[in-house]
Amino acid sequence: MTQQAMPNPIEIYEAAVKQARKTIAAVKPSQLSQPTPCAYWTVQGLVAHMVQAPVAFAEFLEKGTPPVPGVQARDASAQAFDAATAKALAAAKAPGALAKKATTPAGEMTAGQFMMLVASDLCVHTWDLAKATGQDAKLDPKMVETSYAVFSPIAQFARQAGAFGPEVKVAASAGGQDKLLGVTGRRP
């Protein structure tokens, strides 16, 4: 992921948040204990992760604290998601914030590059959540394209780190969403 080819991280993140918010808001309380395509998370655990990621990103921007993989938020609600993503966006919009560099689990990168990872993670987990709760799992094509561009170069590292399952091979003629899901270890 090069700085030159990277789209506007704030716009991409806002699109990912909009897509995820709709899916999170439609989760019923009776679905919270259901499994998801992420074998180690229930619906509630997945939403808690989707809340924690922007919290960690905001802390990274505000305090320089590197994210700790696997940490989940205590509150897995749409309101907690709104608060966390608003805080992350406010921190990202501060002058010079996206140019900051830090070491993350994926190596040294700028905050703008890290924001693209957070947005892409949110995109894929929106699909996970939609599948787990019987919602429409069609993702925004622009988000799919961006997320694939972010994840495909680091997929092997992500598999080794346990963030992605084994790659699921899809046909060369498969659409972008299927390619994204396959590279992140999900069965389209």
Side-chain angles (χ1 to χ4, degrees), residues 129-176:
L129 188 60
K131 288 297 278 187
T133 58
Q135 298 182 54
D136 180 4
K138 175 117 175 76
L139 298 171
D140 174 88
K142 184 176 180 180
M143 279 304 310
V144 166
E145 181 183 335
T146 300
S147 297
Y148 185 79
V150 168
F151 282 149
S152 59
I154 64 166
Q156 186 59 34
F157 164 78
R159 279 189 272 289
Q160 291 170 346
F164 292 170
E167 183 172 4
V168 174
K169 298 291 183 191
V170 297
S173 61

Side-chain angles (χ1 to χ4, degrees), residues 15-48:
V17 166
K18 181 179 178 184
Q19 179 175 255
R21 176 58 168 88
K22 180 180 173 188
T23 306
I24 290 169
V27 172
K28 297 174 182 86
S30 63
Q31 297 174 314
L32 294 175
S33 62
Q34 290 178 195
T36 70
C38 292
Y40 43 86
W41 280 328
T42 62
V43 167
Q44 183 170 3
L46 180 57
V47 175

Side-chain angles (χ1 to χ4, degrees), residues 53-75:
V55 169
F57 180 66
E59 289 175 357
F60 165 72
L61 288 175
E62 295 169 352
K63 303 174 189 171
T65 309
V68 178
V71 175
Q72 292 182 348
R74 291 184 184 172
D75 185 352

